Amino acid sequence: MHYPLLLIFVKITIFSLMLAIGSNLCFEEMLSLWRKPALLLRALLAVVVLVPLVVIVLLKLFNLPPEVITGLALLAASPGAPLTTKRAQKAGGRFCYAASLQLTLAILAVCVTPVTLGIFFSLFQHLVEKVTILEVARQVIMVQLLPVSIGLLLQKFTPKFAENIAQPLNFIADILLLLLVILAGILGIPLFFKVWGLPMVVITIMIIVSLAIGHSLGDHNDDTQPILAISCIARNVGLALFIAILNDVQQQVIPTIIAYVIVGAVLGGFYSIWNKRKLEKQPS
């Protein structure tokens, strides 16, 4: 697939995922977390500050190939994966908190992603900034904030219509995301083995530390710990790939992104099983 077609497909996929989120999750669910500012600040500290900080430390400590550095930087700058709510529920978390955090991260990505990328650009010379920070912000508005806003407005003014299209939108968005991951995997196969060895060790450390950060900053008297832990590792792969295409480095970073998805799914799955068993043992 040529570059223009791949870019269009990624745009459609992200737009569909964000529209599905906006159509399925309402303002009231989003505000449930905003009404608890201490919990909200801890969540944002974990997902958008500490996880990128961990990546910066790892990239400074280990001598990694430029394409791996770029891939991890893009992932660190792309919080709020579209499937976070589903993954968090499997770990035993509450839907309301997961939905509120997911919506919040999707909206804040407009400023969080460009700022985080700007920090990485200034710290690592291997990252070549071909697209300006303002251009990244503009593109994130188009593919993330706009569809989320459309979905929320549909719920506000045409709730019946929003309810009717919510499930079909979810299905279409999930299929598109699956196709995108498969396509990225096919494109990255020739370079995938470059991620073995030290890069894979760094990716594993990044995921384990991110899980620990989220779990420790969640409310210890509630089931928000698994949601925040999963949210820390669930980076927005579609957005990261989208920015990579804008910078014309998609072929180099795809192996790192795919490796992160695979290791994150495995370690996140083990964490979910452990946490659900821990919750089941607690007295009701």
Side-chain angles (χ1 to χ4, degrees), residues 47-60:
V47 179
V48 305
V49 177
L50 294 182
V51 171
L53 185 59
V54 167
V55 177
I56 289 172
V57 172
L58 289 173
L59 295 184
K60 289 290 186 181

Side-chain angles (χ1 to χ4, degrees), residues 12-31:
I12 292 172
T13 301
I14 301 175
F15 193 96
S16 301
L17 288 164
M18 293 302 115
L19 182 60
I21 289 174
S23 301
N24 281 274
L25 309 177
C26 62
F27 276 115
E28 287 69 25
E29 288 168 335
M30 182 174 71
L31 293 175

